[in-house]
Amino acid sequence: MIDIVKRRYLYFGISLLVIIPGMLALAVWGLPLAIDFKGGSLLDISFDSGTVPPPAQVTTLYAENGFRDSIVQTSGQDGMIIRSTDMTDAQRNQLVTLMEAQFNSTITVNRFESVGPSVGQEVAKRAAGAVGLAALGILLYITLAFRGVSNAYRFGVAAIIAMLHDVLVVLGVEAILAHFLHWEVDSLFLTALLTVIGFSVHDTIVVFDRIRENLYIYRKLPYETVVNHSIVQTLVRSINTQLTVMLTLFALALFGGITIRHFVVILLVGVFSGTYSSIFNASPILVVWENKEWKTWFRRKPAV
């Protein structure tokens, strides 16, 4: 049988190798905010030909002219609304001229104005508060659901630690990608992060539930053996389920277009991290806690 729990400190070390560079990148480079958070310019246009080009082509044209991470939305049959970083009247006129030439249509500018952030700091703070409240709810729910098992609260704490692992991985990877690919944090990133949190806890609870069942069935076996047996029992299910999601996201990242690529890549990273933490981090944390391995400087308890 695969002994995952035996090599738990190797897997904890792999997590740190991913998280620490990301946290350093976050501290040094930070997270550049998109117009959703800091505002910018809004351009409302109509194509006189009646044919609206694909939003991805407009996004690419904006990026080629120095306006990265613009948000393009179609409006009606022939209209388009484009949000971008602040631009001058001259830059607007240049972009309109380029779009007319590239898309072979005369363009009418219906509106051009500066706009405030659609997702303000207050919304971001409330999202952080919601995550904290959700963590408390998860702790209380798991403690209640696992009340028949001794030290039920440990399952809740381990699930939250695994969730924080996934949040740190996503934030770190975002900081690195934002620096090298010039991505910016927008409302879709916030949506992706909250989705990753949901995925992470969902997969972890599946493994925990099997541990709870096996603790009743294999009462005479050591705790470490029961936990490892439970992980192995759910391993194929966890990998198959998450692999299906990841293959779909991978296809979307390749062929879904530039407008959703950032969102999909962050989801892909988060789902992969969630799968890893639910198998290699969450349940082994229970074993570390059960053995009180901090008293032996995090060395494995000798087999009896």
Side-chain angles (χ1 to χ4, degrees):
M1 180 186 294
I2 305 171
D3 198 345
I4 293 173
V5 175
K6 179 181 178 182
R7 299 178 177 84
R8 52 188 175 275
Y9 288 108
L10 170 65
Y11 302 126
F12 294 159
I14 293 173
S15 292
L16 289 176
L17 283 177
V18 175
I19 291 173
I20 290 176
M23 291 300 99
L24 290 175
L26 187 63
V28 174
W29 298 324
L31 290 176
L33 300 179
I35 56 177
D36 286 343
F37 290 91
K38 62 183 182 183
S41 294
L42 183 147
L43 181 60
D44 183 354
I45 56 176
S46 297
F47 291 84
D48 295 348
S49 64
T51 303
V52 179
Q57 292 186 13
V58 177
T59 302
T60 302
L61 188 146
Y62 263 63
E64 290 173 350
N65 286 273
F67 296 95
R68 299 182 181 278
D69 284 351
S70 58
I71 299 174
V72 181
Q73 296 174 304
T74 55
S75 174
Q77 297 295 323
D78 59 355
M80 186 168 276
I81 296 175
I82 310 165
R83 293 165 61 92
S84 67
T85 51
D86 284 320
M87 67 173 63
T88 63
D89 288 341
Q91 290 171 321
R92 178 206 63 187
N93 292 335
Q94 181 185 3
L95 281 168
V96 170
T97 302
L98 289 171
M99 283 192 283
E100 287 178 332
Q102 182 167 335
F103 304 125
N104 196 28
S105 172
T106 303
I107 291 176
T108 301
V109 177
N110 302 319
R111 184 166 48 126
F112 175 68
E113 59 188 20
S114 295
V115 295
S118 60
V119 181
Q121 291 185 352
E122 185 65 25
V123 175
K125 287 179 181 177
R126 288 184 180 182
V131 172
L133 194 61
L136 180 61
I138 290 167
L139 177 62
L140 294 175
Y141 171 75
I142 293 180
T143 302
L144 182 64
F146 288 68
R147 60 186 179 280
V149 181
S150 61
N151 300 314
Y153 65 95
R154 293 180 182 177
F155 289 84
V157 174
I160 292 170
I161 292 173
M163 183 185 76
L164 291 176
H165 165 280
D166 300 334
V167 170
L168 293 178
V169 168
V170 168
L171 288 175
V173 170
E174 170 68 12
I176 294 171
L177 293 179
H179 179 75
F180 290 105
L181 301 180
H182 306 291
W183 285 355
E184 294 181 335
V185 173
D186 55 13
S187 57
L188 282 178
F189 172 79
L190 194 59
T191 305
L193 185 61
L194 295 175
T195 306
V196 166
I197 290 172
F199 262 103
S200 170
V201 175
H202 168 267
D203 206 40
T204 301
I205 287 180
V206 171
V207 184
F208 283 177
D209 196 50
R210 184 56 60 90
I211 293 174
R212 178 180 59 174
E213 292 175 2
N214 286 337
L215 283 174
Y216 288 118
I217 298 172
Y218 306 106
R219 292 175 182 273
K220 295 183 179 179
L221 288 179
Y223 190 83
E224 182 173 334
T225 304
V226 174
V227 170
N228 187 71
H229 184 59
S230 305
I231 295 173
V232 173
Q233 281 185 322
T234 56
L235 187 62
V236 174
R237 176 200 176 280
S238 296
I239 292 176
N240 285 343
T241 303
Q242 303 297 357
L243 195 60
T244 305
V245 177
M246 284 189 282
L247 287 175
T248 304
L249 291 173
F250 188 67
L252 282 173
L254 289 178
F255 308 111
I258 193 172
T259 54
I260 62 169
R261 184 164 296 152
H262 182 188
F263 171 73
V264 173
V265 169
I266 293 302
L267 269 183
L268 190 59
V269 171
V271 171
F272 181 82
S273 175
T275 306
Y276 181 89
S277 66
S278 65
I279 297 172
F280 300 107
N281 290 152
S283 302
I285 287 173
L286 293 175
V287 176
V288 172
W289 203 335
E290 178 68 18
N291 294 341
K292 296 182 174 57
E293 292 177 1
W294 54 85
K295 293 183 178 178
T296 56
W297 295 94
F298 295 98
R299 292 177 182 171
R300 292 182 63 243
K301 186 177 180 180
V304 178

